[in-house]
């Protein structure tokens, strides 16, 4: 097997375990706070659940550009190993938390040492032949998205089978195994002497330089709005499923299944849409625009379903279009980024993912208090429709000319 394919295969699993570890607590976080950490007041539980879930993404948003700068200077594989081993330890420690503050601080520490995903994206994008980048980005991102969305299903299943604390131990062990596999099998062609000879600029200077490229500026904004729209309803899914299901029987499993079914269709569509994006100049931009509109449309029926199975069907259809979003953004970032700054560009994009992940659940929870759970789905649809207009105005207009530079 060619080395770029080995890298892609191993890092797919790494992406999956990293994102599953961050999202698996969604179905049982409030229950964990109640049964194991001693909270009793429903309002207090809801407040802590939102803060703890967002804490991981707050620190991730702040530090990702620093890790991107270091990856461009010392290599992407080093950042992979630093992040993978660190998160394996921290996630394991979450199982020993005895109060909400412990869990919050560990989630924030986990976000601080994260950086596996942007380093993996940068490594795969620079080691893959240009004519296969779209396929590689789609495949790699399907691992991250599958982890994000299948994480709640895994968490729900393990919560019913083992209780809450063992989930953290199991996830930490799996992440450790994935990182060890990366250490042994992943190869990177990185010239440290050449990288050391490049004048070092600060994180802010790097941001200014990349911000001067209009297409990158637009892509970062697209990433932020995509993640906000996707994550806004996620913490509310268990409550919505409870309302539709009307029973406590297998509630954690159903909530996890509804939250994760999107990942099944995403895993199928992302590589296919990525391969289509490799066909020629301007195709990726069109895939991004169509996928945004399709995802926006698929959010609307979720607000009007009357059963869990209808919600499952709508979210499965949503995943088909989600497969054309972040992977296409990653492929376009590679296209427009100057050589030697790939990791930095992907780290800024990862910061936008973290910011969207952080703001989405918090604002989604606030909005649901005003307009109900169904209103959050409508809000997400409107954001994605607006995002499609942004893409048409900035990338589709003259995108082919820019791509042919």
């Amino acid at each position: 097997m060619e080395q770029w394919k080995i890298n892609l295969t191993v890092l797919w699993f790494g992406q999956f375990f990293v994102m599953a570890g961050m999202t698996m607590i969604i179905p049982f976080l409030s229950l964990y706070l109640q049964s194991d950490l001693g909270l009793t007041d429903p309002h207090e539980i809801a407040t802590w659940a939102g803060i703890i879930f967002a804490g991981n993404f707050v620190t991730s948003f702040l530090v990702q550009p620093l890790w991107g700068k270091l990856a461009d200077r010392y290599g992407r594989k080093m950042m992979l190993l630093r992040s993978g081993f660190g998160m394996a330890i921290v996630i394991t420690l979450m199982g020993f938390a005895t109060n909400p503050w412990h869990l919050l601080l560990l989630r924030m520490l986990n976000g601080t040492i994260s950086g596996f995903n942007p380093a993996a994206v940068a490594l795969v994008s620079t080691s893959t032949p240009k004519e296969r980048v779209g396929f590689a980005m789609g495949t790699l991102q399907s691992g991250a998205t599958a982890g994000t969305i299948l994480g709640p299903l895994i968490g729900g299943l393990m919560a019913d089978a083992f209780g809450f604390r063992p989930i953290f131990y199991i996830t930490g062990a799996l992440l450790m195994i994935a990182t060890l596999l990366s250490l042994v099998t992943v190869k990177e062609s990185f010239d440290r002497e050449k990288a050391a000879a490049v004048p070092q600029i600060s994180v802010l200077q790097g941001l200014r330089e990349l911000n001067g490229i209009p297409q990158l500026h637009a892509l970062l904004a697209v990433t932020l709005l995509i993640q906000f729209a996707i994550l806004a309803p996620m913490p509310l899914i268990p409550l919505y499923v409870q309302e539709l299901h009307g029973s406590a029987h297998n509630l954690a499993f159903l909530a996890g299944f509804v939250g994760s079914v999107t990942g099944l269709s995403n895993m199928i569509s992302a590589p296919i849409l990525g391969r289509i994006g490799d066909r020629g100049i301007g195709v990726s931009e069109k895939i991004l625009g169509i996928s945004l509109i399709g995802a926006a449309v698929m959010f609307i029926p979720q607000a009007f379903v009357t059963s869990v199975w209808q919600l499952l069907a709508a979210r499965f259809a949503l995943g088909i279009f989600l497969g054309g979003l972040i992977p296409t953004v990653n492929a376009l970032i590679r296209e427009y980024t100057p050589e030697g700054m790939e990791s930095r560009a992907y780290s800024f994009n990862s910061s936008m993912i973290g910011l969207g992940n952080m703001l989405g659940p918090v604002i989604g929870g606030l909005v649901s208090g005003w307009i109900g759970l169904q209103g959050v789905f409508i809000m997400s649809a409107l954001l994605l429709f607006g995002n499609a207009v942004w893409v048409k105005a900035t990338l589709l207009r003259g995108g082919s000319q820019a791509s042919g530079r």
Side-chain angles (χ1 to χ4, degrees):
M1 185 183 293
E2 296 173 78
Q3 185 60 48
W4 72 268
K5 293 181 179 179
I6 296 174
N7 291 349
L8 178 60
T9 301
V10 173
L11 294 178
W12 188 97
F13 285 100
Q15 292 267 65
F16 178 87
F17 286 125
V18 167
M19 297 312 298
M22 291 184 179
T23 60
M24 65 178 181
I25 67 172
I26 290 174
F28 67 85
L29 178 56
S30 58
L31 302 177
Y32 183 47
L33 291 169
Q34 183 179 27
S35 65
D36 287 55
L37 302 187
L39 299 185
T40 56
D41 180 73
H43 178 72
E44 185 181 18
I45 292 173
T47 301
W48 271 110
I51 294 173
I52 289 171
F53 181 78
N56 187 96
F57 303 109
V58 173
T59 50
S60 176
F61 163 71
L62 294 174
V63 302
Q64 285 306 310
L66 173 61
W67 296 134
K69 176 184 176 180
L70 294 176
D72 283 331
R73 175 65 177 82
Y74 298 105
R76 289 96 190 187
K77 184 175 178 179
M78 182 179 292
M79 292 299 107
L80 281 174
L81 301 178
R82 173 201 58 76
S83 176
F85 287 129
M87 288 193 295
I89 294 170
V90 171
I91 289 175
T92 301
L93 290 176
M94 290 180 189
F96 294 95
T98 58
N99 63 61
W101 280 107
H102 291 167
L103 194 56
L104 173 61
L105 292 175
L106 287 169
R107 288 276 293 179
M108 294 178 71
L109 178 59
N110 193 62
T112 300
I113 63 177
S114 66
F116 190 99
N117 291 358
V121 170
L123 193 154
V124 169
S125 72
T126 54
S127 64
T128 300
K130 274 205 167 184
E131 65 274 11
R132 303 298 302 276
V133 168
F135 165 75
M137 290 295 97
T139 302
L140 186 65
Q141 187 60 36
S142 72
T145 304
T148 300
I149 304 177
L150 289 175
L153 174 60
I154 296 170
L157 286 172
M158 289 198 295
D160 287 340
F162 308 118
F164 303 130
R165 293 187 184 275
I167 297 176
F168 297 106
Y169 312 145
I170 295 170
T171 303
L174 290 174
L175 186 52
M176 181 67 72
I177 293 171
T179 308
L180 287 171
L181 189 60
S182 299
L183 173 64
V184 174
T185 61
V186 171
K187 307 295 182 185
E188 177 186 21
S189 177
F190 185 81
D191 190 337
R192 292 193 178 184
E193 293 183 1
K194 181 180 178 181
V198 176
Q200 295 299 302
I201 59 176
S202 68
V203 172
L204 289 177
Q205 287 175 312
L207 177 59
R208 292 191 193 100
E209 184 173 334
L210 292 174
N211 197 42
I213 304 171
Q215 292 83 5
L216 289 181
H217 188 266
L219 289 170
L220 293 177
V222 166
T223 297
L224 170 63
L225 293 177
I226 287 171
Q227 290 303 119
F228 181 93
I230 293 173
L231 266 292
M234 284 295 284
L236 304 169
I237 290 292
L239 297 176
Y240 198 33
V241 170
Q242 185 178 42
E243 179 182 321
L244 294 171
H245 186 52
S247 170
H249 181 63
N250 286 336
L251 184 58
F253 167 74
L254 283 175
F257 191 25
V258 169
S260 64
V261 70
T262 313
L264 300 177
S265 51
N266 185 290
M267 290 171 62
I268 298 170
S269 66
I272 295 172
L273 292 174
R275 187 180 287 112
I276 294 173
D278 288 330
R279 290 182 177 176
I281 293 172
V283 177
S284 293
E285 288 89 344
K286 292 178 182 177
I287 290 175
L288 183 60
I290 293 171
S291 297
L292 281 168
I293 294 174
V297 170
M298 287 300 104
F299 266 111
I300 296 174
Q302 295 181 54
F304 301 101
V305 296
T306 57
S307 72
V308 173
W309 304 111
Q310 291 174 1
L311 183 60
L312 279 168
R315 291 190 64 79
F316 183 86
L318 172 65
I320 295 174
F321 293 101
L322 292 183
L325 295 177
I326 295 297
T328 305
V329 168
N330 284 333
L332 290 171
I333 287 175
R334 161 75 188 276
E335 182 177 341
Y336 291 115
T337 299
E339 185 178 357
M341 296 191 70
E342 294 90 352
S343 294
R344 199 170 305 206
Y346 285 122
S347 70
F348 285 124
N349 193 57
S350 182
S351 285
M352 293 300 102
I353 292 176
L355 183 60
N357 290 345
M358 174 183 65
L359 294 177
V362 174
I363 295 179
L366 292 174
V367 170
S368 69
W370 299 332
I371 57 178
L373 299 178
Q374 292 83 352
V376 177
F377 292 111
I378 300 300
M379 177 187 70
S380 295
L382 293 175
L383 284 173
L384 291 183
F385 276 125
N387 211 345
V389 174
W390 175 277
V391 168
K392 179 176 176 58
T394 57
L395 293 179
L396 293 180
R397 185 183 63 192
S400 297
Q401 181 180 353
S403 298
R405 58 185 173 83

